[in-house]
Amino acid sequence: MACTPAQSPWSTAAGVAALHALRSQDELEREFAGMLAVFLPDVPIALCLAEHDTRQVVRFTLGADCPLTPLAEVDADSWPLPAEQRLPVRYYEHLLGELLVGVSIDAATRGALEDILVHFGTALVNLALNSEARKATDDYCATLQALEEGIVLFQEEDPEAVMARLLALASSMVNATAGALYVFDEIGQRDSGLSLQQALGMPEALLASFTAADGSAWPDCLVDGPAGIVERDRDGGIAGLAPDCTPAVLKEVVVLPLRYHGVQAGICLLFNPKIDPDKTRENVGRLQSFGQLAAALLHRLHLERLRENSVSIQRELQIAETIQKRLVPSQGPSNDDYEFAW
């Protein structure tokens, strides 16, 4: 039996505009459900939307006789209905889901529903795009702020303060729970050996107990590799760590070698980051830029230390020269048998 709808709540521009003015998907779905309840009172209805894969999930139901349950996964067999009672929710050629109507509807009703579903699909996609844009903007601003603060560090003269701030900034970029900064004893000299300079959120004694799976020093085996996010492997190890010394709470490690223009400065390790898996590539790219900045900063500090040492040695040589000159007599001793010269 065909349903005779009430007056369409979206027959005016204001009714349709209400869908596009909402700020979240939950608000959009509630507004849409309210419109349907007025337009088709007591009719069993279900809105099903596709998730990240091909499955569909019930977002809301109307009517006491609707056989579906909100948030349940469904397919075509969950509520078998004629094709004319399954209205697609689309955004251009992209299928977003279906509106299932449990009674037969006439052509006018179907046309009105199809019109509003166009607006609903557009509003739904715009909300998703706006959310992604806000998140991308927030991530970009956070990274830009970190880089700006990193640039300010070029004015800092205390190496300890610089390295502590570098580690804190890198950790904040990926919301890591802990981190460690290792620096070469001689910046640019790969064989000079790594030394732990800063630790954040993890005891230095624990970091000192870490060894590589082959028994070699850790994290020396990572400095020549690429930057990236490494997950725990099936053997229980992670990022080259031996399984028997890998803490159970350690699930992921961000490996960030610090190098620029062929100069290796060290490596930064960030433990258990909290980042969007879909943004991994972007985050790694930003971290690489930060790693280059950090390497340049550490290299500058190293060169300044060498210069200071050189100036100190030169000053000591000048003092020694002055003392030696004072020890040399201005005139040779008087002796009838010998002549003295220097």
Side-chain angles (χ1 to χ4, degrees):
M1 181 176 181
C3 174
T4 302
Q7 177 65 31
S8 170
W10 47 80
S11 57
T12 64
V16 172
L19 295 179
H20 297 281
L22 301 174
R23 303 297 300 272
S24 71
Q25 183 174 337
D26 289 340
E27 291 180 359
L28 175 62
E29 291 173 359
R30 284 196 297 269
E31 181 72 18
F32 185 38
M35 288 181 170
L36 291 174
V38 173
F39 185 53
L40 298 173
D42 302 322
V43 172
I45 295 174
L47 176 68
C48 304
L49 296 179
E51 296 290 333
H52 294 296
D53 50 21
T54 57
R55 65 193 177 107
Q56 289 193 353
V57 174
V58 180
R59 297 300 303 176
F60 66 75
T61 61
L62 298 174
D65 297 330
C66 181
L68 301 183
T69 304
L71 303 182
E73 294 185 20
V74 294
D75 55 28
D77 297 328
S78 300
W79 190 8
L81 291 172
E84 61 270 14
Q85 292 174 223
R86 308 180 72 94
L87 284 75
V89 181
R90 295 184 180 276
Y91 180 74
Y92 294 98
E93 72 277 8
H94 301 288
L95 180 64
L96 307 178
E98 289 181 311
L99 181 70
L100 308 181
V101 182
V103 299
S104 177
I105 53 178
D106 57 30
T109 303
R110 182 181 177 88
L113 288 173
E114 289 175 342
D115 286 343
I116 190 58
L117 284 174
V118 170
H119 289 278
F120 175 79
T122 301
L124 185 64
V125 170
N126 284 338
L127 283 174
L129 293 176
N130 289 338
S131 177
E132 291 179 2
R134 286 194 298 270
K135 177 119 180 11
T137 301
D138 291 343
D139 291 344
Y140 176 78
C141 290
T143 302
L144 182 60
Q145 181 180 3
L147 291 175
E148 288 177 347
E149 292 184 26
I151 292 174
V152 172
L153 284 177
F154 275 94
Q155 303 174 3
E156 176 63 57
E157 297 181 356
D158 183 3
E160 291 294 325
V162 169
M163 289 187 282
R165 191 61 183 144
L166 282 176
L167 180 57
L169 288 173
S171 298
S172 67
M173 290 176 68
V174 294
N175 296 314
T177 59
L181 178 65
Y182 294 83
V183 178
F184 284 118
D185 294 334
E186 296 291 334
I187 303 295
Q189 300 296 322
R190 173 67 177 79
D191 298 330
S192 64
L194 286 172
S195 296
L196 176 64
Q197 296 296 329
Q198 292 291 327
L200 181 66
M202 184 173 290
E204 293 187 15
L206 178 60
L207 291 167
S209 69
F210 289 169
T211 57
D214 59 2
S216 61
W218 190 88
D220 301 56
C221 57
L222 302 174
V223 295
D224 295 321
I229 302 174
V230 184
E231 297 180 351
R232 199 182 188 98
D233 56 39
R234 288 181 294 180
D235 296 332
I238 186 170
L241 266 177
D244 58 353
C245 68
T246 303
V249 297
L250 193 55
K251 305 300 181 183
E252 289 184 327
V253 175
V254 175
V255 178
L256 180 60
L258 307 180
R259 53 176 173 251
Y260 84 111
H261 297 297
V263 177
Q264 290 182 310
I267 189 167
C268 182
L269 301 169
L270 308 171
F271 304 108
N272 289 347
K274 296 178 182 178
I275 57 179
D276 186 349
D278 296 331
K279 304 291 185 179
T280 297
R281 185 173 180 180
E282 295 179 18
N283 280 294
V284 170
R286 293 167 184 168
L287 282 169
Q288 285 178 319
S289 298
F290 183 80
Q292 293 175 353
L293 176 66
L297 181 54
L298 293 173
H299 190 209
R300 180 186 68 85
L301 291 174
H302 176 68
L303 293 177
E304 289 182 351
R305 186 169 66 252
L306 291 179
R307 184 192 64 183
E308 291 174 358
N309 291 340
S310 176
V311 170
S312 177
I313 293 174
Q314 183 65 31
R315 185 180 301 112
E316 291 178 2
L317 289 174
Q318 291 175 349
I319 294 173
E321 181 181 3
T322 301
I323 294 174
Q324 290 171 358
K325 286 182 177 179
R326 290 177 180 176
L327 293 175
V328 176
S330 59
Q331 295 179 353
S334 176
N335 189 291
D336 296 335
D337 299 322
Y338 300 98
E339 291 184 0
F340 296 89
W342 48 82

